């Protein structure tokens, strides 16, 4: 239990410092985080992701999910793109991402795909709420579309 708490605290510190939990990425990270400690934390996180889908305790699972840890790679990919959108809004003050965004060439296509899923009623509720909280869609638009209740 003590080791789990130490690793969880290190992961929280990493997220607080860099704004994400993508330990495999060198982007937006100082070189001091490229160490044996980070490699160890990355291994621990991968194990926790596996445990989430198998047999993690509810308390540990809830704590991991509260900071954005997910079990599926599809969800991790979606959250990574969402975080890129958050960063774009912070840097530019708006969410009008061009189709070909020079800072992040795939972000514009991803945003268009999200809007298309919303129009088609194929957007899971949880994701819809996140996009709405960021301002990508309005509450009125959300209520007028049929949304999925389970995440893809």
């Amino acid at each position: 239990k003590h080791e789990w708490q130490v690793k969880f605290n290190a992961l929280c510190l990493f997220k607080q410092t860099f704004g994400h939990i993508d330990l495999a990425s060198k982007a937006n990270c100082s070189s001091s985080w490229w160490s044996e400690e980070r490699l160890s934390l990355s291994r621990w996180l991968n194990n926790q992701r596996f445990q989430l889908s198998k047999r993690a305790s509810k308390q540990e699972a809830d704590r991991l999910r509260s900071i954005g840890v997910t079990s599926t790679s599809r969800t991790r990919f979606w959250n990574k793109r969402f975080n890129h959108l958050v960063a774009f809004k912070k840097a530019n003050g708006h969410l009008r991402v061009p189709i070909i965004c020079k800072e992040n060439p795939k972000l514009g296509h991803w945003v268009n795909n999200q809007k298309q899923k919303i129009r088609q009623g194929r957007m899971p509720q949880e994701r819809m709420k996140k996009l709405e909280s960021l301002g990508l869609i309005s509450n009125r638009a959300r209520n007028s579309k049929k949304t999925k209740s389970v995440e893809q």
Side-chain angles (χ1 to χ4, degrees):
K1 283 289 185 192
H2 175 71
E3 182 182 349
W4 191 95
Q5 186 61 48
V6 168
K7 295 288 190 185
F8 180 78
N9 289 345
L11 184 61
C12 289
L13 177 61
F14 185 90
K15 182 174 183 176
Q16 180 181 0
T17 303
F18 301 110
H20 62 81
I21 55 172
D22 184 7
L23 295 166
S25 173
K26 291 183 182 181
N28 302 322
C29 297
S30 66
S31 59
S32 65
W33 272 95
W34 281 101
S35 63
E36 189 62 36
E37 179 185 346
R38 183 169 176 183
L39 183 59
S40 172
L41 186 58
S42 180
R43 287 183 191 132
W44 177 83
L45 179 57
N46 286 337
N47 185 47
Q48 298 311 304
R49 285 183 167 132
F50 176 76
Q51 296 297 327
L52 276 176
S53 61
K54 302 296 178 201
R55 58 186 182 277
S57 77
K58 179 168 175 26
Q59 181 183 15
E60 288 175 355
D62 289 346
R63 292 183 72 197
L64 289 166
R65 286 187 182 109
S66 75
I67 62 167
V69 176
T70 59
S71 60
T72 67
S73 60
R74 184 179 293 177
T75 300
R76 286 195 308 271
F77 172 81
W78 192 91
N79 286 333
K80 183 177 181 178
R81 288 286 190 250
F82 179 80
N83 290 334
H84 291 169
L85 183 60
V86 169
F88 180 91
K89 182 179 182 182
K90 184 176 182 180
N92 297 286
H94 61 80
L95 293 168
R96 295 179 306 275
V97 182
I99 290 294
I100 300 174
C101 176
K102 65 180 174 181
E103 300 90 21
N104 188 338
K106 296 181 181 181
L107 185 60
H109 289 289
W110 181 83
V111 169
N112 279 343
N113 288 339
Q114 302 316 297
K115 289 177 179 179
Q116 183 178 19
K117 285 181 180 184
I118 291 166
R119 284 191 300 272
Q120 295 170 345
R122 298 183 316 134
M123 178 62 66
Q125 291 272 342
E126 181 180 313
R127 291 179 181 179
M128 180 79 85
K129 288 177 185 176
K130 287 181 83 169
L131 292 170
E132 183 183 341
S133 72
L134 189 59
L136 188 66
I137 58 171
S138 68
N139 191 27
R140 187 178 63 194
R142 179 176 186 261
N143 290 335
S144 69
K145 302 293 180 191
K146 178 183 171 189
T147 58
K148 294 176 81 172
S149 59
V150 295
E151 189 160 319
Q152 293 185 6

